């Protein structure tokens, strides 16, 4: 499942496509939420872009969104 409710919040399995034409949430694909970000996958830029995109999409502050796993991979949690 792409979304898992826990005691501390919601965990979202992500599939990230960096260097995309625009920042957007594509939808659920293969059990993960697919997101596209314009940032390249260097110097944590893509992770910061993912956090900003998800915070806006969910209507929460950036501080409420954290990358738990997959900092250097396309698949993140």
């Amino acid at each position: 499942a792409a979304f898992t409710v826990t005691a501390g919040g919601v965990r979202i399995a992500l599939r990230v496509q960096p260097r995309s034409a625009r920042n957007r949430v594509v939808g659920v694909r293969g059990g993960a939420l697919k997101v596209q970000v314009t940032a390249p996958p260097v110097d944590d830029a893509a992770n910061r872009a993912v956090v900003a995109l998800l915070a806006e999409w969910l209507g929460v502050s950036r501080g409420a969104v954290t990358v738990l796993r997959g900092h250097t991979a396309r698949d993140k949690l």
Side-chain angles (χ1 to χ4, degrees):
F3 300 89
T4 306
V5 178
T6 67
V10 177
R11 290 188 178 179
I12 305 171
L14 298 174
R15 176 71 172 178
V16 178
Q17 180 181 341
R19 290 192 174 131
S20 181
R22 61 184 176 163
N23 293 329
R24 68 182 184 147
V25 176
V26 177
V28 177
R29 305 280 192 277
L33 183 67
K34 183 174 180 181
V35 297
Q36 297 174 330
V37 294
T38 58
V42 294
D43 298 330
D44 210 34
N47 288 332
R48 289 192 307 269
V50 167
V51 167
L53 175 63
L54 287 179
E56 181 180 338
W57 188 66
L58 295 168
V60 299
S61 69
R62 288 183 186 185
V65 179
T66 308
V67 176
L68 296 176
R69 281 189 281 169
H71 288 87
T72 60
R74 288 179 182 239
D75 294 318
K76 302 182 185 300
L77 184 64

